[in-house]
mmCIF file of all heavy atoms in Angstrom:
data_model
loop_
_atom_site.group_PDB
_atom_site.id
_atom_site.type_symbol
_atom_site.label_atom_id
_atom_site.label_comp_id
_atom_site.label_asym_id
_atom_site.label_seq_id
_atom_site.Cartn_x
_atom_site.Cartn_y
_atom_site.Cartn_z
ATOM 1 N N LEU A 1 -8.280 -7.554 2.840
ATOM 2 C CA LEU A 1 -7.961 -6.320 3.598
ATOM 3 C C LEU A 1 -6.919 -5.467 2.867
ATOM 4 O O LEU A 1 -6.863 -4.230 3.025
ATOM 5 C CB LEU A 1 -7.422 -6.729 4.996
ATOM 6 C CG LEU A 1 -8.414 -7.398 5.917
ATOM 7 C CD1 LEU A 1 -7.747 -7.855 7.202
ATOM 8 C CD2 LEU A 1 -9.607 -6.513 6.156
ATOM 9 N N PHE A 2 -6.075 -6.131 2.094
ATOM 10 C CA PHE A 2 -4.962 -5.409 1.452
ATOM 11 C C PHE A 2 -4.886 -5.829 -0.067
ATOM 12 O O PHE A 2 -5.342 -6.888 -0.406
ATOM 13 C CB PHE A 2 -3.614 -5.739 2.102
ATOM 14 C CG PHE A 2 -3.563 -5.317 3.564
ATOM 15 C CD1 PHE A 2 -3.790 -6.200 4.564
ATOM 16 C CD2 PHE A 2 -3.240 -3.997 3.872
ATOM 17 C CE1 PHE A 2 -3.774 -5.879 5.900
ATOM 18 C CE2 PHE A 2 -3.136 -3.595 5.235
ATOM 19 C CZ PHE A 2 -3.430 -4.526 6.217
ATOM 20 N N PRO A 3 -4.329 -4.951 -0.886
ATOM 21 C CA PRO A 3 -4.230 -5.302 -2.355
ATOM 22 C C PRO A 3 -3.253 -6.414 -2.537
ATOM 23 O O PRO A 3 -2.320 -6.581 -1.744
ATOM 24 C CB PRO A 3 -3.737 -3.990 -2.981
ATOM 25 C CG PRO A 3 -3.119 -3.234 -1.865
ATOM 26 C CD PRO A 3 -3.866 -3.596 -0.604
ATOM 27 N N THR A 4 -3.532 -7.234 -3.537
ATOM 28 C CA THR A 4 -2.641 -8.356 -3.877
ATOM 29 C C THR A 4 -1.335 -7.920 -4.472
ATOM 30 O O THR A 4 -0.286 -8.497 -4.241
ATOM 31 C CB THR A 4 -3.364 -9.325 -4.852
ATOM 32 O OG1 THR A 4 -4.624 -9.652 -4.268
ATOM 33 C CG2 THR A 4 -2.594 -10.578 -5.105
ATOM 34 N N TYR A 5 -1.385 -6.901 -5.278
ATOM 35 C CA TYR A 5 -0.173 -6.406 -5.987
ATOM 36 C C TYR A 5 -0.353 -4.957 -6.297
ATOM 37 O O TYR A 5 -1.411 -4.364 -6.127
ATOM 38 C CB TYR A 5 0.086 -7.233 -7.277
ATOM 39 C CG TYR A 5 -1.006 -7.058 -8.297
ATOM 40 C CD1 TYR A 5 -0.956 -6.122 -9.278
ATOM 41 C CD2 TYR A 5 -2.109 -7.944 -8.270
ATOM 42 C CE1 TYR A 5 -1.965 -5.964 -10.205
ATOM 43 C CE2 TYR A 5 -3.123 -7.809 -9.245
ATOM 44 C CZ TYR A 5 -3.029 -6.838 -10.209
ATOM 45 O OH TYR A 5 -4.021 -6.663 -11.117
ATOM 46 N N GLY A 6 0.737 -4.371 -6.817
ATOM 47 C CA GLY A 6 0.742 -2.945 -7.223
ATOM 48 C C GLY A 6 1.187 -2.010 -6.112
ATOM 49 O O GLY A 6 1.374 -2.383 -4.932
ATOM 50 N N TYR A 7 1.327 -0.715 -6.524
ATOM 51 C CA TYR A 7 1.862 0.317 -5.576
ATOM 52 C C TYR A 7 1.119 1.644 -5.845
ATOM 53 O O TYR A 7 0.956 2.024 -7.018
ATOM 54 C CB TYR A 7 3.360 0.494 -5.822
ATOM 55 C CG TYR A 7 3.954 1.657 -5.063
ATOM 56 C CD1 TYR A 7 4.086 1.629 -3.701
ATOM 57 C CD2 TYR A 7 4.366 2.796 -5.785
ATOM 58 C CE1 TYR A 7 4.627 2.691 -3.009
ATOM 59 C CE2 TYR A 7 4.943 3.846 -5.110
ATOM 60 C CZ TYR A 7 5.055 3.833 -3.779
ATOM 61 O OH TYR A 7 5.604 4.901 -3.059
ATOM 62 N N THR A 8 0.742 2.258 -4.789
ATOM 63 C CA THR A 8 0.151 3.597 -4.841
ATOM 64 C C THR A 8 1.157 4.591 -4.312
ATOM 65 O O THR A 8 1.613 4.451 -3.166
ATOM 66 C CB THR A 8 -1.123 3.623 -3.983
ATOM 67 O OG1 THR A 8 -2.059 2.659 -4.494
ATOM 68 C CG2 THR A 8 -1.754 5.043 -4.067
ATOM 69 N N PRO A 9 1.571 5.587 -5.067
ATOM 70 C CA PRO A 9 2.563 6.561 -4.590
ATOM 71 C C PRO A 9 2.070 7.338 -3.370
ATOM 72 O O PRO A 9 0.858 7.582 -3.221
ATOM 73 C CB PRO A 9 2.760 7.535 -5.793
ATOM 74 C CG PRO A 9 2.292 6.719 -6.974
ATOM 75 C CD PRO A 9 1.197 5.862 -6.477
ATOM 76 N N TRP A 10 3.033 7.730 -2.485
ATOM 77 C CA TRP A 10 2.646 8.448 -1.285
ATOM 78 C C TRP A 10 2.040 9.823 -1.628
ATOM 79 O O TRP A 10 1.156 10.261 -0.889
ATOM 80 C CB TRP A 10 3.870 8.652 -0.431
ATOM 81 C CG TRP A 10 4.442 7.416 0.181
ATOM 82 C CD1 TRP A 10 5.406 6.644 -0.317
ATOM 83 C CD2 TRP A 10 4.020 6.747 1.433
ATOM 84 N NE1 TRP A 10 5.678 5.574 0.483
ATOM 85 C CE2 TRP A 10 4.789 5.645 1.575
ATOM 86 C CE3 TRP A 10 3.039 7.109 2.347
ATOM 87 C CZ2 TRP A 10 4.700 4.782 2.697
ATOM 88 C CZ3 TRP A 10 2.886 6.214 3.454
ATOM 89 C CH2 TRP A 10 3.710 5.084 3.596
ATOM 90 N N SER A 11 2.493 10.426 -2.714
ATOM 91 C CA SER A 11 2.001 11.712 -3.097
ATOM 92 C C SER A 11 0.509 11.692 -3.520
ATOM 93 O O SER A 11 -0.162 12.701 -3.383
ATOM 94 C CB SER A 11 2.846 12.336 -4.206
ATOM 95 O OG SER A 11 2.852 11.469 -5.324
ATOM 96 N N GLU A 12 0.065 10.555 -4.044
ATOM 97 C CA GLU A 12 -1.330 10.461 -4.470
ATOM 98 C C GLU A 12 -2.279 10.033 -3.391
ATOM 99 O O GLU A 12 -3.345 10.610 -3.233
ATOM 100 C CB GLU A 12 -1.394 9.399 -5.620
ATOM 101 C CG GLU A 12 -0.634 9.797 -6.900
ATOM 102 C CD GLU A 12 -0.853 8.745 -7.969
ATOM 103 O OE1 GLU A 12 -1.630 7.794 -7.758
ATOM 104 O OE2 GLU A 12 -0.155 8.853 -9.018
ATOM 105 N N ASP A 13 -1.848 9.085 -2.599
ATOM 106 C CA ASP A 13 -2.713 8.575 -1.490
ATOM 107 C C ASP A 13 -1.879 7.936 -0.389
ATOM 108 O O ASP A 13 -1.453 6.789 -0.560
ATOM 109 C CB ASP A 13 -3.739 7.566 -2.067
ATOM 110 C CG ASP A 13 -4.721 7.083 -1.030
ATOM 111 O OD1 ASP A 13 -4.681 7.611 0.154
ATOM 112 O OD2 ASP A 13 -5.532 6.148 -1.302
ATOM 113 N N PRO A 14 -1.553 8.635 0.646
ATOM 114 C CA PRO A 14 -0.657 8.122 1.704
ATOM 115 C C PRO A 14 -1.220 6.831 2.321
ATOM 116 O O PRO A 14 -0.503 5.845 2.555
ATOM 117 C CB PRO A 14 -0.591 9.216 2.749
ATOM 118 C CG PRO A 14 -0.913 10.461 1.969
ATOM 119 C CD PRO A 14 -1.894 10.081 0.894
ATOM 120 N N LEU A 15 -2.560 6.724 2.568
ATOM 121 C CA LEU A 15 -3.156 5.589 3.126
ATOM 122 C C LEU A 15 -3.108 4.432 2.121
ATOM 123 O O LEU A 15 -2.780 3.272 2.491
ATOM 124 C CB LEU A 15 -4.606 5.844 3.502
ATOM 125 C CG LEU A 15 -5.360 4.657 4.174
ATOM 126 C CD1 LEU A 15 -4.654 4.264 5.440
ATOM 127 C CD2 LEU A 15 -6.833 5.073 4.446
ATOM 128 N N GLY A 16 -3.289 4.742 0.853
ATOM 129 C CA GLY A 16 -3.203 3.674 -0.199
ATOM 130 C C GLY A 16 -1.764 3.171 -0.307
ATOM 131 O O GLY A 16 -1.543 1.946 -0.565
ATOM 132 N N ALA A 17 -0.788 4.089 -0.202
ATOM 133 C CA ALA A 17 0.620 3.678 -0.231
ATOM 134 C C ALA A 17 0.925 2.770 0.930
ATOM 135 O O ALA A 17 1.597 1.719 0.764
ATOM 136 C CB ALA A 17 1.525 4.887 -0.234
ATOM 137 N N LEU A 18 0.422 3.099 2.120
ATOM 138 C CA LEU A 18 0.668 2.248 3.304
ATOM 139 C C LEU A 18 0.039 0.855 3.135
ATOM 140 O O LEU A 18 0.615 -0.161 3.493
ATOM 141 C CB LEU A 18 0.137 2.976 4.562
ATOM 142 C CG LEU A 18 0.385 2.285 5.887
ATOM 143 C CD1 LEU A 18 1.883 2.163 6.138
ATOM 144 C CD2 LEU A 18 -0.262 3.042 7.004
ATOM 145 N N ARG A 19 -1.156 0.836 2.599
ATOM 146 C CA ARG A 19 -1.839 -0.423 2.357
ATOM 147 C C ARG A 19 -1.105 -1.282 1.330
ATOM 148 O O ARG A 19 -1.019 -2.489 1.484
ATOM 149 C CB ARG A 19 -3.293 -0.208 1.889
ATOM 150 C CG ARG A 19 -4.185 0.361 2.935
ATOM 151 C CD ARG A 19 -5.621 0.537 2.470
ATOM 152 N NE ARG A 19 -6.294 -0.750 2.340
ATOM 153 C CZ ARG A 19 -6.634 -1.313 1.201
ATOM 154 N NH1 ARG A 19 -6.414 -0.702 0.057
ATOM 155 N NH2 ARG A 19 -7.240 -2.526 1.176
ATOM 156 N N SER A 20 -0.563 -0.698 0.297
ATOM 157 C CA SER A 20 0.130 -1.450 -0.725
ATOM 158 C C SER A 20 1.486 -1.924 -0.297
ATOM 159 O O SER A 20 2.022 -2.914 -0.776
ATOM 160 C CB SER A 20 0.302 -0.641 -1.953
ATOM 161 O OG SER A 20 1.144 0.484 -1.735
ATOM 162 N N LEU A 21 2.070 -1.311 0.756
ATOM 163 C CA LEU A 21 3.361 -1.661 1.271
ATOM 164 C C LEU A 21 3.361 -2.513 2.556
ATOM 165 O O LEU A 21 4.385 -3.042 2.957
ATOM 166 C CB LEU A 21 4.273 -0.416 1.503
ATOM 167 C CG LEU A 21 4.693 0.366 0.255
ATOM 168 C CD1 LEU A 21 5.377 1.659 0.682
ATOM 169 C CD2 LEU A 21 5.630 -0.478 -0.569
ATOM 170 N N PHE A 22 2.165 -2.599 3.148
ATOM 171 C CA PHE A 22 2.102 -3.215 4.484
ATOM 172 C C PHE A 22 2.478 -4.724 4.375
ATOM 173 O O PHE A 22 3.283 -5.199 5.147
ATOM 174 C CB PHE A 22 0.706 -3.058 5.083
ATOM 175 C CG PHE A 22 0.567 -3.688 6.424
ATOM 176 C CD1 PHE A 22 1.036 -3.040 7.563
ATOM 177 C CD2 PHE A 22 0.016 -4.951 6.593
ATOM 178 C CE1 PHE A 22 0.928 -3.605 8.854
ATOM 179 C CE2 PHE A 22 -0.138 -5.534 7.821
ATOM 180 C CZ PHE A 22 0.340 -4.842 8.976
ATOM 181 N N LEU A 23 1.837 -5.456 3.500
ATOM 182 C CA LEU A 23 2.079 -6.881 3.435
ATOM 183 C C LEU A 23 3.569 -7.168 2.970
ATOM 184 O O LEU A 23 4.187 -8.028 3.555
ATOM 185 C CB LEU A 23 1.091 -7.563 2.457
ATOM 186 C CG LEU A 23 -0.347 -7.688 2.994
ATOM 187 C CD1 LEU A 23 -1.178 -8.516 2.015
ATOM 188 C CD2 LEU A 23 -0.361 -8.340 4.377
ATOM 189 N N PRO A 24 4.087 -6.518 1.951
ATOM 190 C CA PRO A 24 5.472 -6.731 1.595
ATOM 191 C C PRO A 24 6.426 -6.429 2.754
ATOM 192 O O PRO A 24 7.375 -7.172 3.008
ATOM 193 C CB PRO A 24 5.707 -5.809 0.410
ATOM 194 C CG PRO A 24 4.375 -5.514 -0.134
ATOM 195 C CD PRO A 24 3.458 -5.556 0.962
ATOM 196 N N SER A 25 6.139 -5.334 3.459
ATOM 197 C CA SER A 25 6.989 -4.976 4.638
ATOM 198 C C SER A 25 6.892 -6.063 5.757
ATOM 199 O O SER A 25 7.892 -6.442 6.327
ATOM 200 C CB SER A 25 6.571 -3.666 5.203
ATOM 201 O OG SER A 25 6.710 -2.627 4.217
ATOM 202 N N LEU A 26 5.685 -6.547 5.972
ATOM 203 C CA LEU A 26 5.514 -7.545 6.985
ATOM 204 C C LEU A 26 6.193 -8.868 6.570
ATOM 205 O O LEU A 26 6.788 -9.541 7.413
ATOM 206 C CB LEU A 26 4.015 -7.805 7.208
ATOM 207 C CG LEU A 26 3.611 -8.789 8.329
ATOM 208 C CD1 LEU A 26 4.122 -8.263 9.648
ATOM 209 C CD2 LEU A 26 2.112 -8.931 8.410
#
């Protein structure tokens, strides 16, 4: 459901940024 690693900037893809930060934040 979520990427294992890496980061997508908010300016490029807000949804991708949220997906990349969701698991670390949780």
Side-chain angles (χ1 to χ4, degrees):
L1 297 175
F2 298 96
T4 306
Y5 63 90
Y7 171 71
T8 302
W10 292 96
S11 57
E12 295 182 7
D13 184 6
L15 183 59
L18 185 60
R19 291 183 71 247
S20 64
L21 290 173
F22 181 81
L23 288 186
S25 301
L26 185 59

